[in-house]
Amino acid sequence: MSRLLYVLQVWHGDVDMAAEVARLHAEITDGTPYRDVDAMLVYRRDCPRPRELEELLAKSFSVVRSYRSKRHETGHPAGPNGVWCDMMQHVATMHRSGAWKYDCVLTTEADAVPLVRDWPQRLLAAWDNADSIVAGC
């Protein structure tokens, strides 16, 4: 089981940008999936689920999960915040059930991109040295 769950939150307005993020991951990894990290796409309830996006992420992550939010909020910031809350509840449920054993979760949207190949190892090293259960803001 991987230690880190990388989450990419998507709504219909940024599916194309999310695909660009997935392509960037594929370029950075050059066909070799990241170590110690799985991916999860989280779709807003009314967002299409493009298979191409999941296939692109599968080039960089050994495990690609997907989840469709059940929340009904729209607009900013209620829409993305509602999707995030629903996703975190889902992750917590999976963790409590024992189905998932991730040490940490990185939540992102399509405007956050990796800049270096070893970003998961850097993030996990920072996590291991943190004196908190929450990193970032």
Side-chain angles (χ1 to χ4, degrees), residues 6-23 41-50 52-53 56 75-76 79-80 83 108-113:
Y6 164 80
V7 176
L8 179 56
Q9 186 170 306
V10 182
W11 70 289
H12 64 67
D14 62 15
V15 168
D16 291 341
M17 200 155 84
E20 288 300 316
V21 170
R23 281 186 198 90
L41 286 159
V42 178
Y43 300 101
R44 197 171 87 170
R45 64 176 171 68
D46 57 352
C47 180
R49 183 177 166 184
E52 175 197 12
L53 184 52
L56 281 168
H76 187 272
V83 172
T108 68
E109 295 179 9
D111 58 353
V113 296

Side-chain angles (χ1 to χ4, degrees), residues 17-132:
M17 200 155 84
E20 288 300 316
V21 170
R23 281 186 198 90
L24 180 59
H25 280 290
E27 288 175 20
I28 287 175
T29 59
D30 195 29
T32 304
Y34 295 118
R35 291 181 299 113
D36 292 327
V37 58
D38 294 345
M40 182 168 75
L41 286 159
V42 178
Y43 300 101
R44 197 171 87 170
R45 64 176 171 68
D46 57 352
C47 180
R49 183 177 166 184
R51 295 287 178 208
E52 175 197 12
L53 184 52
E54 294 175 26
E55 290 167 2
L56 281 168
L57 278 180
K59 294 178 180 180
S60 307
F61 298 88
S62 296
V63 174
V64 177
R65 304 177 184 281
S66 65
Y67 178 74
R68 180 169 304 284
S69 176
K70 296 163 187 69
R71 300 284 292 254
H72 291 275
E73 294 91 345
T74 59
H76 187 272
N81 289 349
V83 172
W84 185 87
C85 288
D86 189 32
M87 176 271 306
M88 290 302 289
Q89 288 172 338
H90 175 67
V91 169
T93 297
M94 297 303 288
H95 184 77
R96 278 192 305 272
S97 75
W100 295 354
K101 298 282 186 192
Y102 298 107
D103 292 344
C104 52
V105 178
L106 172 65
T107 62
T108 68
E109 295 179 9
D111 58 353
V113 296
L115 298 177
V116 294
R117 168 126 179 51
D118 67 342
W119 68 265
Q121 287 70 40
R122 292 181 187 199
L123 187 62
L124 287 166
W127 175 259
D128 289 340
N129 293 321
D131 289 330
S132 175

